[in-house]
Amino acid sequence: MIEEIIKQIRGGDVRSIARAISWIENDLPDKEALIDGLFKHTGKARILGITGPPGSGKSSLLNHIIQLEREKGKKIAVLAIDPSSPFTGGAILGDRVRMQKHATDSSVFIRSMASRGHLGGVAGATADALKVLDAAGFDLIIIETIGVGQTEIEVMNIVDLVMLVLVPGLGDEIQALKAGVMEIGDIFVINKCDKDEASRVKAEVEYVLHLKNEGDEEKSNPIFMTSATQNIGLQELVDGIDEEFRRMEENGRLSQRRLKRLELELKHILTSKIQAHVNKFLNTDNNLSDWLRQLANRQATPYQLVNRKVSQVLKELKE
Amino acid sequence: MIEEIIKQIRGGDVRSIARAISWIENDLPDKEALIDGLFKHTGKARILGITGPPGSGKSSLLNHIIQLEREKGKKIAVLAIDPSSPFTGGAILGDRVRMQKHATDSSVFIRSMASRGHLGGVAGATADALKVLDAAGFDLIIIETIGVGQTEIEVMNIVDLVMLVLVPGLGDEIQALKAGVMEIGDIFVINKCDKDEASRVKAEVEYVLHLKNEGDEEKSNPIFMTSATQNIGLQELVDGIDEEFRRMEENGRLSQRRLKRLELELKHILTSKIQAHVNKFLNTDNNLSDWLRQLANRQATPYQLVNRKVSQVLKELKE
């Protein structure tokens, strides 16, 4: 049955692809066998990450990118990492609706995945979902994250190329958010470039990139000025993305980065498996309640307990 | 020397407090002994978390809360969790400057801490910094986070009381962000309440809280309408915060939550220690490069490698 679904995924069957991603999302037991079976068919797709602060117009840009890449004949998958909770339900429905003009195009697959509740972290689940889409034969896989927190940075660490979308006039706090992610951007987009402050934002980005790249031409990051609503700079952006992928293929950075992704994946899997053992240990017998009682009475400190018992924990893990 | 610094911290010496937080931030070897020594002096401070989307005016609110709580004679510490990176440096300087009117008040301690680069995650480091501030005798410790991503949610999981600041007119994407954090809020503030859309936002919040609390009176969450700039509802908010702390003390939820915090701390410490061992294992001999070679050649899958070797890893961990 796993072999059957792998065959259907490789044939591009949308229902099988969606089903496989649900397996990953829900951490079903068959997930590992599925990914194991798909793994050898991966490594072809280009993986683009799009991130940036809320309100920067990522979804509108994404719509244009999909359209222009479709005109180049590419098969495209979009995976939106969704910060919604189980409690409130599908929060980025609005964004998905905005992309609906592509909904009838069978060469465009759009899917959201919750960013919470993954034992191995959302980056691990995203890495698995990427394998499904890669094996399914999509040429370009786009990962969109909302916001620019630690989770989003982790997700962006496993894509081939990161496009960071900035925008004028979001105030100080947004600029603070921006600072933390300047490092992970490969391509910078200043959207809503028709706004007054756009050139100031561009100058700021150039200054920060100058510091980051220390004047090294090799490391230079392209900056694009766009307006998704005014239809400015979009073809240039899409051509620029393709050009950057070509450049990374030629200078070896793409394979380097993919090796790095495999390394991160290994760590995610190792950590999540060990974490599962740790949780099991803590919840076995009265380990946890006993520890908590000692802590609440200030008879021991958290570090003391962990250090004293870590060898015991690890011994139990081994068995 | 550790005993000396512990004594100074307990005496409220600002330089020692700042130094201790730097130890935690930089994960210095003496950190554990310091926290172990402080632990028995903790458990007195009230810990308030303030979170909400960028642009919701958290910093202005914070300023007013500090001022009004000072008028009640309380000693206050603020720890701002800062998403800036080592590369770009102190990004929320702007916020800190805005709080400078309290800078000359010796009963107000304000400090930012980077949200990145902590082995045990920022929540673990924050928990340690809380112990320093708690032992130093502050009555109220306020943790402020910028943004509402997974990191921020983790930080909010270790405070006593979470105040979620919302604001009208931040658009769909912000509302999506909001959705993920509605669960963690204890007190809801709709700031900029003089804006047109404020009552609609309030109705939305009431609706979501109604679903969340299933009409259970006990679980009901207060909602405050404020305008930090127009000076509306601020005294009511501060009195409401104090009232909520009292309510939690009386009905036992405060001690429950503190027990939960100790549990999370244990897990953070265990995980970070095990993570350190995993990294050491991967970087020992040629484990990692050997694994990566097999993956790059598609001779094995990440799950196969981890599953095959997990017992070996765990054995090595034990030694």
Side-chain angles (χ1 to χ4, degrees):
Chain A
M1 179 198 155
I2 296 248
E3 254 132 65
E4 187 55 31
I5 194 173
I6 288 173
K7 204 175 138 196
Q8 285 167 339
I9 288 168
R10 295 196 59 210
D13 178 59
V14 170
R15 285 190 53 193
S16 302
I17 296 168
R19 194 166 153 214
I21 293 176
S22 296
W23 286 12
I24 293 163
E25 199 166 32
N26 299 314
D27 204 21
L28 296 191
D30 283 339
K31 179 192 75 173
E32 291 192 16
L34 175 73
I35 298 300
D36 284 348
L38 291 171
F39 186 62
K40 61 175 170 290
H41 306 295
T42 62
K44 289 170 226 75
R46 288 175 169 180
I47 300 163
L48 172 70
I50 301 186
T51 192
S56 56
K58 291 186 295 295
S59 295
S60 312
L61 274 178
L62 182 54
N63 257 324
H64 285 284
I65 292 171
I66 293 171
Q67 192 171 336
L68 294 169
E69 292 283 7
R70 281 296 299 129
E71 286 171 13
K72 295 186 181 190
K74 297 209 184 131
K75 288 179 66 183
I76 299 163
V78 177
L79 193 66
I81 307 303
D82 184 336
S84 71
S85 67
F87 159 60
T88 47
I92 61 159
L93 193 64
D95 292 284
R96 272 178 278 164
V97 170
R98 269 182 266 163
M99 290 191 277
Q100 257 186 0
K101 66 172 168 177
H102 305 291
T104 52
D105 180 347
S106 66
S107 294
V108 179
F109 177 88
I110 297 173
R111 165 76 185 235
S112 68
M113 195 163 77
S115 65
R116 301 181 63 186
H118 299 288
L119 193 61
V122 63
T126 305
D128 279 347
L130 281 177
K131 292 198 196 72
V132 174
L133 298 169
D134 192 345
F138 290 102
D139 302 300
L140 178 66
I141 304 170
I142 302 176
I143 308 283
E144 184 202 9
T145 61
I146 295 182
V148 283
Q150 192 56 39
T151 312
E152 289 73 20
I153 290 175
E154 276 169 29
V155 170
M156 287 300 139
N157 275 332
I158 60 160
V159 306
D160 293 332
L161 183 70
V162 177
M163 175 177 129
L164 178 59
V165 184
L166 302 172
V167 79
L170 279 178
D172 275 4
E173 236 174 340
I174 292 285
Q175 304 305 317
L177 280 176
K178 197 182 74 181
V181 292
M182 287 296 287
E183 280 151 279
I184 63 162
D186 297 299
I187 284 184
F188 291 79
V189 177
I190 296 156
N191 195 26
K192 307 188 184 176
C193 70
D194 50 323
K195 281 202 179 179
D196 283 347
E197 298 279 277
S199 58
R200 193 180 59 77
V201 175
K202 190 186 180 199
E204 274 178 31
V205 171
E206 280 171 342
Y207 176 69
V208 176
L209 290 180
H210 177 72
L211 291 179
K212 176 185 162 196
N213 296 326
E214 295 161 337
D216 186 340
E217 273 294 319
E218 267 294 292
K219 290 196 265 175
S220 75
N221 301 99
I223 305 175
F224 295 92
M225 306 293 281
T226 61
S227 166
T229 50
Q230 307 280 316
N231 214 341
I232 300 170
L234 301 167
Q235 187 67 56
E236 290 79 358
L237 171 62
V238 168
D239 292 344
I241 292 168
D242 290 349
E243 174 55 31
E244 192 65 17
F245 269 114
R246 263 193 302 276
R247 209 162 69 114
M248 289 177 74
E249 272 157 13
E250 279 165 19
N251 66 19
R253 273 203 305 140
L254 193 65
S255 27
Q256 258 175 43
R257 206 167 275 196
R258 287 176 175 183
L259 220 53
K260 191 75 201 164
R261 175 159 76 233
L262 288 170
E263 183 181 334
L264 289 173
E265 273 183 48
L266 281 175
K267 288 184 179 170
H268 284 306
I269 296 173
L270 256 175
T271 304
S272 72
K273 290 205 177 263
I274 290 175
Q275 189 71 59
H277 284 288
V278 167
N279 288 339
K280 206 173 139 200
F281 167 81
L282 282 175
N283 296 324
T284 300
D285 303 326
N286 294 313
N287 290 325
L288 182 61
S289 56
D290 184 44
W291 284 21
L292 287 178
R293 194 186 40 72
Q294 292 184 50
L295 290 176
N297 300 333
R298 301 294 191 265
Q299 290 166 331
T301 76
Y303 285 115
Q304 282 166 352
L305 284 177
V306 172
N307 287 333
R308 261 184 232 154
K309 304 252 179 160
V310 80
S311 65
Q312 184 194 334
V313 175
L314 294 171
K315 186 166 166 246
E316 301 252 345
L317 291 179
K318 206 196 126 208
E319 282 154 13
Chain B
M1 179 196 158
I2 295 246
E3 256 133 63
E4 187 55 31
I5 195 174
I6 288 173
K7 204 175 139 196
Q8 284 167 340
I9 288 168
R10 294 195 60 208
D13 177 59
V14 169
R15 286 189 54 193
S16 301
I17 297 169
R19 192 164 155 217
I21 294 176
S22 295
W23 287 13
I24 293 163
E25 200 166 31
N26 299 314
D27 205 20
L28 295 192
D30 283 339
K31 180 191 75 174
E32 291 192 15
L34 175 72
I35 299 300
D36 284 350
L38 292 171
F39 186 63
K40 63 174 168 291
H41 307 292
T42 62
K44 289 171 226 74
R46 288 175 169 181
I47 300 163
L48 172 70
I50 301 187
T51 192
S56 55
K58 291 185 295 297
S59 295
S60 312
L61 274 178
L62 181 54
N63 257 325
H64 285 284
I65 292 171
I66 293 172
Q67 191 171 337
L68 294 170
E69 292 284 7
R70 281 296 298 128
E71 287 170 14
K72 295 185 180 189
K74 296 208 185 135
K75 288 181 64 183
I76 300 163
V78 177
L79 192 67
I81 306 302
D82 184 336
S84 73
S85 66
F87 160 61
T88 46
I92 61 160
L93 193 64
D95 292 285
R96 274 179 276 163
V97 170
R98 268 182 267 163
M99 289 192 278
Q100 257 185 0
K101 66 173 168 175
H102 305 290
T104 52
D105 181 345
S106 67
S107 294
V108 179
F109 176 88
I110 297 172
R111 164 79 184 232
S112 68
M113 196 164 76
S115 66
R116 301 180 64 185
H118 300 288
L119 194 61
V122 64
T126 305
D128 280 347
L130 281 177
K131 290 196 197 74
V132 174
L133 298 169
D134 192 345
F138 290 102
D139 302 300
L140 178 66
I141 304 170
I142 303 176
I143 308 282
E144 183 202 11
T145 61
I146 296 183
V148 284
Q150 192 56 41
T151 312
E152 289 73 22
I153 291 175
E154 277 168 29
V155 170
M156 288 300 139
N157 275 333
I158 60 160
V159 305
D160 293 333
L161 182 69
V162 177
M163 174 176 130
L164 179 58
V165 184
L166 301 172
V167 79
L170 279 177
D172 275 5
E173 237 174 339
I174 294 285
Q175 302 306 316
L177 280 176
K178 198 182 73 182
V181 291
M182 287 295 288
E183 282 150 275
I184 62 163
D186 297 300
I187 283 184
F188 291 78
V189 176
I190 295 156
N191 195 26
K192 306 188 185 178
C193 71
D194 49 324
K195 281 202 179 178
D196 283 348
E197 298 279 278
S199 58
R200 194 181 58 79
V201 175
K202 189 184 181 203
E204 273 178 31
V205 170
E206 280 171 343
Y207 177 70
V208 176
L209 289 179
H210 177 74
L211 291 180
K212 176 186 161 195
N213 296 328
E214 295 162 335
D216 185 340
E217 272 294 321
E218 267 294 292
K219 290 197 266 178
S220 75
N221 302 99
I223 305 175
F224 295 92
M225 306 294 281
T226 62
S227 166
T229 50
Q230 309 279 316
N231 213 341
I232 302 170
L234 300 168
Q235 188 66 55
E236 290 80 355
L237 172 61
V238 168
D239 292 343
I241 291 168
D242 291 347
E243 174 55 32
E244 193 65 17
F245 269 115
R246 263 193 300 276
R247 208 162 70 116
M248 289 176 74
E249 273 158 13
E250 278 165 20
N251 65 20
R253 272 203 305 138
L254 193 65
S255 28
Q256 257 175 46
R257 207 167 274 196
R258 288 177 175 184
L259 219 53
K260 191 75 200 163
R261 175 161 74 233
L262 288 171
E263 183 181 335
L264 288 172
E265 273 183 49
L266 280 175
K267 287 183 180 171
H268 285 305
I269 296 173
L270 256 176
T271 305
S272 71
K273 292 209 174 260
I274 288 173
Q275 189 71 59
H277 283 290
V278 166
N279 288 337
K280 204 173 141 202
F281 167 81
L282 282 174
N283 295 323
T284 300
D285 302 324
N286 294 313
N287 289 326
L288 182 61
S289 55
D290 184 44
W291 284 18
L292 287 178
R293 193 185 41 71
Q294 291 184 52
L295 291 176
N297 299 333
R298 301 295 192 264
Q299 289 167 332
T301 77
Y303 285 116
Q304 283 167 351
L305 284 176
V306 172
N307 286 333
R308 262 183 230 153
K309 306 249 178 162
V310 81
S311 65
Q312 185 195 333
V313 175
L314 294 172
K315 186 166 165 250
E316 303 252 345
L317 290 179
K318 205 195 127 209
E319 285 154 12

